[in-house]
Amino acid sequence: MRIAVAGGTGLVGRYVVEALTAAGDEPVVLSPSRGVDLLTGMGLDEALAGTQAVVDVTNSPKSAAKPATQFFQKAGRNLLAAEERAGVSHHLTLSIVGIDRAAGFGYYRAKLAQEEVVRNGPVPWTILRATQFHEFAEQTLAQISGPIAVAPRMHSRPIAAREVGRSLAELVKEKPRGHAPELAGPREEQIVEMARTLLKAKHQHRLLVPVRLPGSAGAAMSGGALLPTGPGPRGVQTFEQWLAEHYA
């Protein structure tokens, strides 16, 4: 099966491509490095020729509400229009668990706008919301350098990005199902504690400062709004196991 992966060179996208290849499918990576630009539409028609399904795991280069919303809306509309021209029968988008409950956070508002574009688009669709990745702790610590590190007070049920990629690679070959059951990791974690454990694993002596994001969004995140609210698929690898794999 010929399946396009928008954002196929990114963290999750690489795992989607890996899983599709292992299953004998033909992944087509949509990224600027492969001559495809979602914001201009350049190369889209050529790349999607003969494609039956598309996985969208693109990410906005900016996290502020306005630029991120503009990115997701323009890229999404261009991609869906090209899919319609190519006769694509299934569009699968990766989103985030709980963004409607923490919509005061600008990036989450942008992801909600992306979901709306998909729901109103011309191609049969599935949206899979997943929790934060185990890699999120590392991304958080990398936001600032120096002797001080900052981590948000946030409850999550983190999952390995590899497991998310595998789930997407399986789901895209099924029939479109609208909002799929939420995907989460095996157990609940505190992002601050994940960051602290990661610092120890990397032997970094930095002062970790827990912070609560401002406003209603910060209160929602620290209060568990980003946890799944119903049954759904669950990853297997714990954060400790992920650490052992990457920082043995």
Side-chain angles (χ1 to χ4, degrees):
M1 187 173 183
R2 183 176 169 88
I3 300 171
V5 184
T9 59
L11 174 61
V12 177
R14 293 195 303 269
Y15 290 127
V16 176
V17 171
E18 177 185 275
L20 290 172
T21 302
D25 297 297
E26 181 186 357
V28 179
V29 175
L30 308 182
S31 73
S33 64
R34 305 296 177 90
V36 179
D37 189 332
L38 297 184
L39 292 180
T40 65
M42 180 185 69
L44 264 177
D45 288 333
E46 296 81 359
L48 291 178
T51 296
Q52 288 103 355
V54 173
V55 181
D56 184 4
V57 288
T58 54
N59 193 19
S60 170
K62 296 182 180 180
S63 59
K66 185 175 181 179
T69 299
Q70 291 173 341
F71 172 85
F72 284 127
Q73 289 180 331
K74 188 169 186 179
R77 287 168 181 154
N78 285 342
L79 180 57
L80 288 163
E83 290 175 26
E84 184 181 30
R85 293 192 295 271
V88 170
S89 59
H90 189 184
H91 176 97
L92 171 59
T93 290
L94 177 64
S95 192
I96 306 170
V97 168
I99 53 175
D100 46 350
R101 298 186 293 274
F105 184 47
Y107 183 77
Y108 288 177
R109 291 202 302 276
K111 288 294 289 182
L112 286 171
Q114 180 191 33
E115 290 187 0
E116 183 178 8
V117 169
V118 173
R119 288 194 300 270
N120 295 331
V123 179
W125 57 273
T126 301
I127 293 174
L128 175 65
R129 288 182 174 183
T131 53
Q132 284 68 36
F133 312 140
H134 292 326
E135 290 84 353
F136 182 71
E138 192 165 35
Q139 294 168 347
T140 297
L141 293 176
Q143 289 181 356
I144 61 173
S145 59
I148 297 177
V150 175
R153 295 188 183 276
M154 180 188 299
H155 290 276
S156 183
R157 192 163 177 167
I159 184 171
R162 178 183 286 114
E163 293 185 320
V164 177
R166 290 172 179 169
S167 294
L168 290 165
E170 294 173 0
L171 190 58
V172 73
K173 289 183 281 188
E174 299 177 4
K175 292 182 179 179
R177 55 194 302 182
H179 282 278
E182 295 175 333
L183 175 63
R187 68 188 191 194
E188 185 177 336
E189 305 276 3
Q190 287 273 5
I191 300 298
V192 171
E193 292 306 315
M194 291 171 62
R196 183 173 287 114
T197 304
L198 179 59
L199 287 173
K200 292 179 181 178
K202 297 176 73 172
H203 306 289
Q204 291 185 357
H205 302 287
R206 303 173 66 188
L207 175 63
L208 181 65
V209 180
V211 297
R212 198 186 88 169
L213 297 177
S216 59
M221 291 178 189
S222 62
L226 302 184
L227 297 172
T229 57
R234 298 293 179 257
V236 175
Q237 187 179 50
T238 66
F239 180 63
E240 286 77 10
Q241 291 169 335
W242 179 87
L243 275 179
E245 177 185 343
H246 289 81
Y247 297 99

